[in-house]
Amino acid sequence: MVEKKGRPRRSAKQTRQILVAEGLRQLQEQGVQIGLDHITLESACAATDVPRSSSHSAWAIDDDFTPQALFQRTVLHAWLVTREDSMFATAAQEALGELYETSSDPSRGDVVRTAIQAAFREGFNTDARADGETGSYLSTDLAIRFAIASQPDHERDAEILGWLRDGEVSNREARIEDSYKPLGELLGMRPRPEFGERAYLLFGIAIAALVEGIGLRAAILPELELDQPLLAAAPGDVPSLLIGVCVEALVPAFFEPVDDDG
């Protein structure tokens, strides 16, 4: 195929970067199906100015996989290892800023509920699917990781499992530094001595299990409205989500108040 005039000349690396970005957009928009057959080089080319001939030559780098398979694996790797979670912390910080504007001395419970509620909603409202239902960021992440982890040992793809582990480690480390430690300082809490710094890791794993479990059920049972306030609150209180109640209960298990003189 002869490339049309006016198209920029790109290296194979630049072509791959453009197509992977488009593949990620399609994956977030369409969600996960069985396999990645819906994420294709052809659809990525159709949405960009990359010609099909260039797309296949850009991925003709491995005799073990077709260009299509390599493209799909690269999109999956980008999602598992480099997925961006800072939006959750940003949403929580913005919500807390609004809380402090309206209340000069909010309770510790109100602060926790406000931050968790904002972060949880962000996960369900970001990159909403075309049908306008559950956002795809959280549901796509859950579906990919569950599908990989549930494969029988003898069928698991060792390389993809490695990406999954790497993504989990980097994600957890970033969440501790960007969210859990700043929130602890804001609340005047420190790790309980029996856990030490490991309290942040254990707390993060417990929260992840809660969010993933509740998030999955919110996605498949939208009538439960788990992303909406569930508990009646007294006038002036911050309404609670189920996830907020659970996280608030976890805080004293891993952290303790800092003494006034400590």
Side-chain angles (χ1 to χ4, degrees):
M1 178 183 291
V2 178
E3 295 189 12
K4 295 181 180 179
K5 293 182 178 180
R7 281 178 170 156
R9 295 178 62 85
R10 300 187 180 96
S11 66
K13 180 179 179 180
Q14 291 172 323
T15 297
R16 288 196 296 271
Q17 290 174 336
I18 291 173
L19 294 176
V20 167
E22 173 57 24
L24 279 171
R25 187 195 67 76
Q26 293 181 15
L27 178 62
Q28 289 180 267
E29 180 180 282
Q30 300 176 40
V32 175
Q33 302 174 13
I34 297 176
L36 290 176
D37 292 342
H38 59 308
I39 306 300
T40 67
L41 277 173
E42 287 71 21
S43 61
C45 287
T48 63
D49 63 352
V50 175
R52 292 180 62 182
S53 59
S54 295
S55 72
H56 282 265
S57 61
W59 258 280
I61 54 177
D62 193 318
D63 294 335
D64 294 329
F65 296 99
T66 65
Q68 188 81 273
L70 284 170
F71 168 69
Q72 292 170 335
R73 290 172 69 86
T74 307
V75 170
L76 183 61
H77 177 269
W79 180 263
L80 291 173
V81 179
T82 64
R83 61 190 190 276
E84 177 56 63
D85 287 313
S86 62
M87 62 182 183
F88 298 114
T90 299
Q93 291 167 359
E94 292 177 351
L96 288 176
E98 294 177 2
L99 175 65
Y100 278 100
E101 288 179 0
T102 58
S103 176
S104 60
D105 188 25
S107 69
R108 180 173 293 142
D110 282 351
V111 171
V112 173
R113 292 187 200 104
T114 298
I116 295 301
Q117 179 167 306
F120 190 67
R121 280 181 172 166
E122 184 72 9
F124 278 88
N125 293 331
T126 299
D127 297 317
R129 296 181 184 177
D131 58 14
E133 295 182 356
T134 305
S136 65
Y137 184 94
L138 182 57
S139 58
T140 296
D141 191 45
L142 290 174
I144 287 177
R145 291 192 283 153
F146 179 80
I148 294 172
S150 63
Q151 292 178 8
D153 289 342
H154 65 280
E155 294 180 358
R156 286 180 175 172
D157 185 313
E159 185 176 33
I160 293 180
L161 276 174
W163 299 343
L164 179 62
R165 295 188 185 100
D166 292 344
E168 180 66 19
V169 170
S170 63
N171 176 267
R172 194 67 53 224
E173 290 176 347
R175 193 70 63 83
I176 288 172
E177 295 301 323
D178 297 341
S179 300
Y180 303 147
K181 287 186 177 181
L183 181 60
E185 293 176 2
L186 183 64
L187 296 175
M189 304 286 283
R190 64 186 175 193
R192 297 182 68 86
E194 60 266 36
F195 297 114
E197 289 294 298
R198 195 162 182 260
Y200 294 109
L201 174 62
L202 297 175
F203 180 67
I205 291 173
I207 288 183
L210 282 171
V211 170
E212 290 164 6
I214 295 174
L216 180 60
R217 283 152 185 82
I220 62 178
L221 297 171
E223 65 272 16
L224 294 180
E225 297 184 335
L226 297 180
D227 59 339
Q228 300 297 320
L230 301 176
L231 303 181
D237 285 351
V238 175
S240 295
L241 292 173
L242 177 59
I243 186 66
V245 174
C246 295
V247 172
E248 187 176 356
L250 278 175
V251 170
F254 295 101
F255 304 97
E256 61 183 12
V258 177
D259 295 334
D260 293 338
D261 58 356

